[in-house]
Amino acid sequence: MDHMGSPPLHPADNHSSTSAKRKRSPSNDPPSQPTPPAKVPKSHANHLQINYLARQFPEILPLISTEDPLPSLLSLISDYDGVLQRHESMAGNLGARPLGPMLIQRFERLFDGPPRVLKTHGKEGTSIGWLDVVEFARNKPEQFNLEKMRDGVRVCQFYTKQCRVEISEEDFLLVKSGMPQKLIPPQPIVEDEEKELGTLEILEKNLSGVVQLADQVSARARQLNHRLKNRKTAIISRREAEAAAAA
């Protein structure tokens, strides 16, 4: 995928004619590290609530095509709908490389390592990233403080997203300085929106073809079913007439 333009999506690259159910396959680009689900800070969320910074599933979705078998079409449409319901980027899920997650990866490198989750009461797999820490520090500064542990080490502990989190004194001072907040990329990034628009246009075109084909199949199937019923009725009527004549 080109880094700055619309994703070059090609049905032939993703279509498999040998399988009744379409399998997700990674793109030809080197696999990138999956970005853990992250909440977009409210001050950086756009009115459409599209989260360009995270995806729930790392697998690349294939591009829908009229050549797909019906079970695969139904499954893929359900996958697409899931992306929209989770407010994720459609371009990112179809293999584009959004700029936002790349910038967030560089933002994360400011710190020694991921925040330490001491205890969690939320859903299994809940993760805490530095975006969550920075957002907590900004929204609840009165709860973001250093405390001395029994061994004399100073740490910062707080509760967010149903998790008890601990960060080191060095990371606390870094967050407190306000510098990480300035490095969080604004949302949406123009380049990411351009990729999203390009992807949506391609999907609209392909889905229009699928809808037209489905309408034709539905109409022909109803017509064929009607003719089948007529033939069945004719055969049954002939048999009944022969049976009556024989009696």
Side-chain angles (χ1 to χ4, degrees), residues 15-213:
H15 177 69
S16 174
S17 59
T18 60
S19 174
K21 182 171 177 60
R22 193 167 206 160
K23 295 183 179 180
R24 296 178 183 176
S25 58
S27 64
N28 293 329
D29 295 327
S32 58
Q33 291 293 329
T35 305
K39 180 180 179 182
V40 179
K42 294 180 180 179
S43 59
H44 297 275
N46 67 339
H47 67 284
L48 291 177
Q49 297 181 334
I50 299 176
N51 188 349
Y52 292 94
L53 303 181
R55 296 202 335 245
Q56 181 170 337
F57 301 109
E59 297 89 353
I60 300 301
L61 288 176
L63 181 63
I64 199 166
S65 167
T66 54
E67 298 180 2
D68 295 334
L70 184 58
S72 179
L73 282 173
L74 292 174
S75 176
L76 193 53
I77 288 173
S78 178
D79 288 338
Y80 285 176
D81 189 58
V83 171
L84 297 178
Q85 293 291 336
R86 294 190 299 273
H87 304 288
E88 297 175 358
S89 165
M90 190 65 75
N93 275 274
L94 266 73
R97 303 178 70 84
L99 182 59
M102 298 180 190
L103 297 178
I104 289 299
Q105 286 182 357
R106 284 156 178 74
F107 162 80
E108 297 273 345
R109 291 173 189 166
L110 289 171
F111 305 91
D112 292 335
R116 182 183 177 190
V117 178
L118 303 177
K119 186 178 296 186
T120 178
H121 300 285
K123 296 180 181 179
E124 184 177 354
T126 300
S127 61
I128 301 295
W130 286 107
L131 274 178
D132 300 301
V133 174
V134 172
E135 180 183 8
F136 180 88
R138 185 184 68 245
N139 295 335
K140 300 181 179 179
E142 72 282 355
Q143 299 180 28
F144 192 73
N145 299 294
L146 278 176
E147 55 185 277
K148 185 174 292 187
M149 307 303 290
R150 293 180 179 178
D151 56 4
V153 176
R154 287 159 58 92
V155 298
C156 173
Q157 292 187 1
F158 55 94
Y159 191 79
T160 184
K161 294 176 64 174
Q162 296 185 297
C163 295
R164 187 69 180 174
V165 183
E166 178 181 289
I167 64 173
S168 68
E169 181 177 5
E170 290 78 9
D171 288 331
F172 168 84
L173 294 175
L174 183 58
V175 173
K176 203 71 173 176
S177 72
M179 185 184 71
Q181 176 68 30
K182 298 177 182 178
L183 297 179
I184 297 175
Q187 292 296 313
I189 297 176
V190 174
E191 291 83 355
D192 291 348
E193 271 200 333
E194 288 299 322
K195 289 181 180 180
E196 191 74 8
L197 286 172
T199 300
L200 294 177
E201 290 176 359
I202 293 173
L203 283 179
E204 284 180 338
K205 179 180 178 180
N206 286 23
L207 281 170
S208 178
V210 169
V211 170
Q212 291 179 9
L213 181 60

